[in-house]
Amino acid sequence: IMRQLKFRLDRKSLEIIYTSFIRPLLEYADVIWGNATKSELDELDKIQNECARIASGATRLVSIEKLSNEINWEPLEERRYIHRMVLFYKIQNGQTPDYLSSIIPQTTNNRYNLRNTDDIPGIYARTTLYYNSFFPTAIREWNNLPSEVRTLPSLPSFKHHFKKNKRKTPNYFYSGERKLQILHTRLRTKCSSLNYHLFLKNIKDSPLCLCGQVENNFHYFFECIHYTTARQKLLRKLANIDIDIELNILLNGNPVLSDQINTMIFAHVHNYIYNTKRFT
């Protein structure tokens, strides 16, 4: 469904489809099966990566690192870790049935051991499968949390600890006509059809533009003689905003500026992409 709607729905709607209908299926009861093999878990990552490419508009040429920075979704492995910690917090604080809390070994106060006195004793595991299952894993991870985190007074405050540093996609990344938005994203993530990007992926034999220069992002926006008229129009529009015109701002915006100004910058960049006809 996401593939079929890739060019018809905006990016925000596609992201909502994934986070509301697809990701919950990839995570259902993950505290139980989180000790699956790496190859099995990698298959789930592939699904998230494909959905990220569809929502953002990136292509299969994009690196996973650039895709992750573009979409700002937490890795599924990180989310599984948070789910384990949240459930363990609830078990520790009597918010689950007693049969779960009864499994946890009791903390022993040894007056000769002044270090890690609040740690929970580990559970002996005879097999690797059990060692990586929920309780042995959660206890190890819980003991690695700072004491001030383990003693947070409420479940919402505990969840907030894991969310406070979460990266968010800037609002202006969602602005503009969908097809131009996609082309902008592909330039930003270096998976566009510029000859240099294709050359890096061994799809083209030469990185050169028709004008004879290396056709990378900087050349496309600032140098190519084929887009002089469109470029002059872009620079005039940006001059009215009174900003230093740099490639990074054209591709990523500037977080110091307001969303309104960044949206305006992106609108002018989209017009430039449309006027050059480079990707038609």
Side-chain angles (χ1 to χ4, degrees):
I1 291 176
M2 288 185 68
R3 289 194 189 101
Q4 293 172 358
L5 298 176
K6 179 176 181 177
F7 296 103
R8 298 171 60 187
L9 286 184
D10 60 88
R11 174 170 171 168
K12 176 66 74 174
S13 298
L14 289 167
E15 289 190 13
I16 291 174
I17 288 176
Y18 172 69
T19 56
S20 299
F21 299 109
I22 299 176
R23 188 169 67 185
L25 299 179
L26 305 183
E27 297 182 330
Y28 183 73
D30 59 5
V31 294
I32 302 298
W33 50 260
N35 60 335
T37 65
K38 183 178 184 305
S39 61
E40 291 170 330
L41 298 177
D42 285 347
E43 291 301 312
L44 300 181
D45 291 334
K46 290 178 183 178
I47 297 174
Q48 170 153 298
N49 291 337
E50 175 66 10
C51 291
R53 284 191 290 265
I54 293 172
S56 66
T59 71
R60 290 186 178 274
L61 301 180
V62 70
S63 69
I64 298 301
E65 180 183 2
K66 290 188 181 302
L67 181 64
S68 176
N69 291 334
E70 173 71 21
I71 203 71
N72 289 315
W73 291 345
E74 308 102 316
L76 294 177
E77 181 180 8
E78 179 181 331
R79 291 179 58 82
R80 289 191 290 268
Y81 162 72
I82 295 174
H83 295 162
R84 284 194 298 273
M85 292 297 91
V86 168
L87 177 57
F88 199 82
Y89 178 92
K90 293 166 70 175
I91 293 173
Q92 279 287 85
N93 289 273
Q95 300 178 28
T96 59
D98 293 339
Y99 65 80
L100 290 177
S101 56
S102 65
I103 299 175
I104 301 175
Q106 296 299 311
T107 303
T108 56
N109 294 322
N110 187 340
R111 63 191 181 93
Y112 298 106
N113 182 11
L114 300 180
R115 288 187 178 181
N116 305 322
T117 55
D118 295 331
D119 283 1
I120 299 173
I123 296 179
Y124 171 74
R126 186 172 55 85
T127 65
T128 301
L129 184 64
Y130 182 46
Y131 179 81
N132 292 326
S133 64
F134 172 73
F135 275 105
T137 300
I139 288 174
R140 292 193 301 272
E141 293 171 338
W142 179 266
N143 289 338
N144 287 332
L145 289 175
S147 177
E148 60 269 21
V149 175
R150 287 184 271 177
T151 56
L152 285 169
S154 67
L155 183 59
S157 62
F158 185 75
K159 290 180 177 180
H160 177 71
H161 165 74
F162 296 100
K163 294 180 179 179
K164 62 184 179 181
N165 294 323
K166 179 183 175 182
R167 295 178 303 169
K168 293 184 178 180
T169 302
N171 291 327
Y172 41 91
F173 276 36
Y174 299 103
S175 64
E177 181 186 335
R178 174 61 176 167
K179 291 185 179 181
L180 294 172
Q181 183 187 91
I182 286 176
L183 293 174
H184 196 186
T185 296
R186 291 177 180 179
L187 289 168
R188 183 164 54 243
T189 55
K190 297 184 179 180
C191 65
S192 76
S193 58
L194 291 182
N195 289 334
Y196 179 68
H197 295 162
L198 297 178
F199 175 77
L200 291 177
K201 300 298 181 179
N202 299 316
I203 295 176
K204 284 217 169 183
D205 295 330
S206 172
L208 301 183
C209 175
L210 293 175
C211 69
Q213 302 298 316
V214 174
E215 191 184 31
N216 54 23
N217 283 336
F218 187 85
H219 174 76
Y220 171 68
F221 280 106
F222 294 106
E223 295 179 335
C224 187
I225 59 175
H226 296 297
Y227 314 130
T228 301
T229 302
R231 182 177 302 112
Q232 290 174 346
K233 182 178 179 180
L234 171 65
L235 296 179
R236 283 198 303 270
K237 294 291 186 180
L238 294 178
N240 294 331
I241 304 178
D242 192 25
I243 60 169
D244 293 330
I245 303 172
E246 301 174 350
L247 179 61
N248 185 57
I249 290 180
L250 299 185
L251 294 176
N252 300 290
N254 187 337
V256 176
L257 303 174
S258 67
D259 282 354
Q260 182 180 5
I261 293 178
N262 277 304
T263 299
M264 194 180 306
I265 294 171
F266 272 36
H268 296 321
V269 171
H270 290 180
N271 285 334
Y272 175 79
I273 294 172
Y274 174 81
N275 291 332
T276 62
K277 307 296 181 184
R278 171 61 180 83
F279 305 103
T280 57

